[in-house]
Amino acid sequence: MLLLALDTATPAVTVALHDGTSVVAESGQVDARRHGELLLPAVDRVLREAGTGLDAVTGIVVGTGPGPYTGLRVGLMTADTFGLALGVPVHGVCTLDGLAYAAEDVEGPFVVATDARRKEVYWARYQDARTRLTGPAVDRPADIAEEIAGLPAVGAGALLYPDTFADPRGPEHVSAGALAALAAERLAAGEELDEPRPLYLRRPDAQVPKNYKVVTPK
């Protein structure tokens, strides 16, 4: 097994290779505006560090969000393209699940929250690092304050709103290494992974103007 994992659902552009036992190589850069520019060079860098080629990959793992439309689709489209070109399966993993999995030192129930912009967060509740209880959802922090009161919180969303998330923890952004490790664990257990479909949770920021005039050729 050699899984190529990638995620662009948060400001982090992250790529990793996992051999079914451990992470072989990993790259991560935080830049919310350059997902498309940074992703393929990161893939190339990880492959070179591992001393292998793309043709050795046996499966693709991609973070499905939730996340902003523009960034999220970069990773999903790239994963689909690799899967088709290589003839290998493409597995989806919720980005929040990857963050939860990387927070194994957080005990008991906790929350994962990422920045959804518009003064909102993408969030989910977890029983432990591997078990999601509710979500994912998108809400204003104040609207969920009572529901999550007293729970540790992981992710950039928690750090942005300390008045709501009273006990913010790391990691701040997801890592492809954690996504790959979680996917490898689930596959080894015979579990089915999600389809590589985006969890947008709301409409994209860009909208066609209401009074837009369609011009058709005469």
Side-chain angles (χ1 to χ4, degrees), residues 13-170:
V13 179
T14 177
V15 178
L17 277 175
H18 195 285
D19 64 5
T21 302
S22 61
V23 174
V24 178
E26 185 171 10
S27 172
Q29 295 171 271
V30 177
D31 192 327
R33 298 181 180 275
R34 299 172 64 211
H35 291 93
E37 181 181 343
L38 297 174
L39 182 57
L40 290 180
V43 172
D44 182 64
R45 187 162 54 250
V46 164
L47 290 170
R48 283 191 284 106
E49 182 180 335
T52 190
L54 192 59
D55 56 354
V57 170
T58 60
I60 310 293
V61 177
V62 61
T64 58
Y69 178 83
T70 302
L72 182 53
R73 68 178 178 173
V74 170
L76 286 160
M77 291 177 67
T78 302
D80 280 342
T81 300
F82 282 154
L84 286 171
L86 298 172
V88 299
V90 181
H91 307 289
V93 176
C94 174
T95 298
L96 301 184
D97 289 356
L99 268 164
Y101 188 79
E104 289 188 309
D105 60 334
V106 180
E107 296 182 2
F110 63 95
V111 180
V112 172
T114 60
D115 183 16
R117 303 173 187 173
R118 303 184 193 174
K119 297 182 179 179
E120 295 179 328
V121 292
Y122 296 117
W123 69 285
R125 287 184 61 189
Y126 291 81
Q127 178 62 42
D128 53 47
R130 294 169 176 79
T131 311
R132 183 173 2 126
L133 296 174
T134 62
V138 58
D139 288 289
R140 288 182 177 272
D143 293 340
I144 61 173
E146 196 171 310
E147 185 175 352
I148 64 170
L151 294 178
V154 173
L159 296 172
L160 282 172
Y161 302 99
D163 290 343
T164 297
F165 300 95
D167 187 11
R169 312 280 187 91

